């Protein structure tokens, strides 16, 4: 009887907690600001946990001590249609007792504790971007961050089209610059100096074929801007195991192959 009563109380408590959290989702800004400091803190912590995907087990890897645990948020929409985002939260750990003698220190057996966090944002195109997206905000209302094309994404791992970028606009502009660079080099290989032989996927290919095989959103790892002269745009695109630097004439409407002025290809070796 006592056990049954405990189970009923437990289930009732879970149901009440779930109902309370669900009700909290509907609180507006005024209602949230009216909460006491303690209630606001509790709610915000619940909110944070609610958007984190399960982390799984502590990683082993090549490091003997646990150094971190990674959490990834559920995907959400951005200000750009077809572009989704997610955040990675890294909880860092350090040894409670620092090693004095590294020869006898028991790395696996010594306790570790959390001491800090790091955060970063990744993006993913669920639709190939076009130049029409560059002035989207001026012509259309902002799309919903809750839209299904992003909330339905379930890929928890790196890769698979997820990439780093400073912001949504740079993500779009950099990929468009890369696409027109691929087209420009097919017509004019001299844009790449020098046009060497590379080995994407273990194949010997020249610069034209290398760029063509890298023209794949699923291979995109990172984009960033780079220094450029007045009237120019410069983007660095990490795709596959290559850094592609594209310099083109600046254009508010997006570049065309005729705007591409230089392309640089740098191959690197990924170390995991």
């Amino acid at each position: 009887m006592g056990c049954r009563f405990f189970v009923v109380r437990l289930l009732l408590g879970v149901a009440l907690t779930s109902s309370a959290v669900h009700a909290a989702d509907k609180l507006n800004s005024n209602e949230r600001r009216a909460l006491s400091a303690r209630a606001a803190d509790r709610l915000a912590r619940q909110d944070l946990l609610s958007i984190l995907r399960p982390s799984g087990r502590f990683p082993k890897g090549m490091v003997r001590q646990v150094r971190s645990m990674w959490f990834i948020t559920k995907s959400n929409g951005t200000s750009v249609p077809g572009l989704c985002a997610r955040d990675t939260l890294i909880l860092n750990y350090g040894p409670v007792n620092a090693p004095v003698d590294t020869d006898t220190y028991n790395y696996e057996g010594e306790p570790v504790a959390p001491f800090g966090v790091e955060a970063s944002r990744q993006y993913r195109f669920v639709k190939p971007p076009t130049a029409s997206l560059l002035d989207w905000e001026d012509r259309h209302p902002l799309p919903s961050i809750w839209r299904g094309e992003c909330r339905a994404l379930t890929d928890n791992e790196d890769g698979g089209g997820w990439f780093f970028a400073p912001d949504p606009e740079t993500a779009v502009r950099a990929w468009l610059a890369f696409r027109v660079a691929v087209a420009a080099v097919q017509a004019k290989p001299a844009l790449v100096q020098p046009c060497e032989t590379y080995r994407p996927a273990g194949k010997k290919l020249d610069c034209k074929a290398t760029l063509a095989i890298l023209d794949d959103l699923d291979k995109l790892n990172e984009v960033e801007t780079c220094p450029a002269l007045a009237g120019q745009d410069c983007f660095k695109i990490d795709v596959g195991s290559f850094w592609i630097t594209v310099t083109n004439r600046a254009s508010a409407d997006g570049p065309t192959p005729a705007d591409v002025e230089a392309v640089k290809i740098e191959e690197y070796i990924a170390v995991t």
Side-chain angles (χ1 to χ4, degrees):
M1 181 68 178
C3 180
R4 181 185 300 175
F5 179 68
F6 172 77
V7 171
V8 171
R9 287 189 60 187
L10 177 62
L11 293 176
L12 181 59
V14 171
L16 290 174
T17 301
S18 177
S19 298
V21 171
H22 183 70
D25 289 341
K26 300 181 183 300
L27 292 180
N28 60 36
S29 298
N30 289 332
E31 291 168 331
R32 287 176 179 270
R33 289 172 179 145
L35 294 173
S36 67
R38 183 176 180 180
D41 177 77
R42 182 171 61 250
L43 178 58
R45 290 172 187 269
Q46 291 173 346
D47 289 342
L48 175 60
L49 292 176
S50 73
I51 65 172
L52 297 179
R53 293 187 181 278
S55 60
R57 304 180 66 178
F58 280 96
K60 290 185 177 180
M62 299 176 62
V63 181
R64 296 173 65 182
Q65 275 187 326
V66 168
R67 295 289 181 85
S68 63
M69 175 63 95
W70 291 48
F71 299 89
I72 298 175
T73 65
K74 298 174 183 177
S75 306
N76 57 266
T78 67
S79 58
V80 176
L83 181 64
C84 305
R86 71 180 185 184
D87 296 302
T88 299
L89 181 68
I90 304 174
L91 180 61
N92 292 318
Y93 289 82
V96 174
N97 303 308
V100 177
D101 184 350
T102 56
D103 292 331
T104 60
Y105 185 74
N106 184 3
Y107 286 90
E108 293 88 347
E110 287 289 337
V112 295
F115 68 87
V117 296
E118 300 174 47
S120 61
R121 169 153 286 205
Q122 288 179 298
Y123 297 92
R124 179 176 174 178
F125 288 110
V126 292
K127 298 176 184 176
T130 63
S132 64
L133 296 177
L134 295 177
D135 61 347
W136 181 271
E137 295 181 29
D138 297 333
R139 298 181 290 109
H140 300 83
L142 290 178
S144 170
I145 60 175
W146 311 110
R147 57 186 185 269
E149 64 182 5
C150 296
R151 301 298 282 180
L153 294 176
T154 58
D155 184 7
N156 294 335
E157 303 298 328
D158 289 336
W162 288 105
F163 64 96
F164 294 98
D167 53 72
E169 182 178 356
T170 301
V172 174
R173 287 189 177 277
W175 183 251
L176 293 179
F178 173 72
R179 293 297 314 281
V180 299
V182 173
V185 170
Q186 304 309 306
K188 187 179 179 182
L191 288 169
V192 181
Q193 291 293 337
C195 182
E196 298 179 342
T197 299
Y198 305 94
R199 289 181 173 272
K203 303 176 183 178
K204 283 188 176 182
L205 300 174
D206 64 10
C207 61
K208 291 172 54 177
T210 296
L211 287 176
I213 204 172
L214 294 175
D215 187 6
D216 182 349
L217 279 171
D218 282 345
K219 296 178 180 178
L220 186 58
N221 301 313
E222 183 175 359
V223 301
E224 59 185 45
T225 59
C226 41
L229 300 175
Q232 290 182 331
D233 285 331
C234 180
F235 297 99
K236 291 189 69 174
I237 301 96
D238 180 351
V239 56
S241 56
F242 291 81
W243 275 107
I244 312 299
T245 303
V246 180
T247 303
N248 53 257
R249 286 189 293 272
S251 171
D253 299 326
T256 66
D259 294 320
V260 179
E261 297 182 347
V263 180
K264 182 179 180 181
I265 302 176
E266 299 172 276
E267 189 171 11
Y268 65 84
I269 299 175
V271 179
T272 58

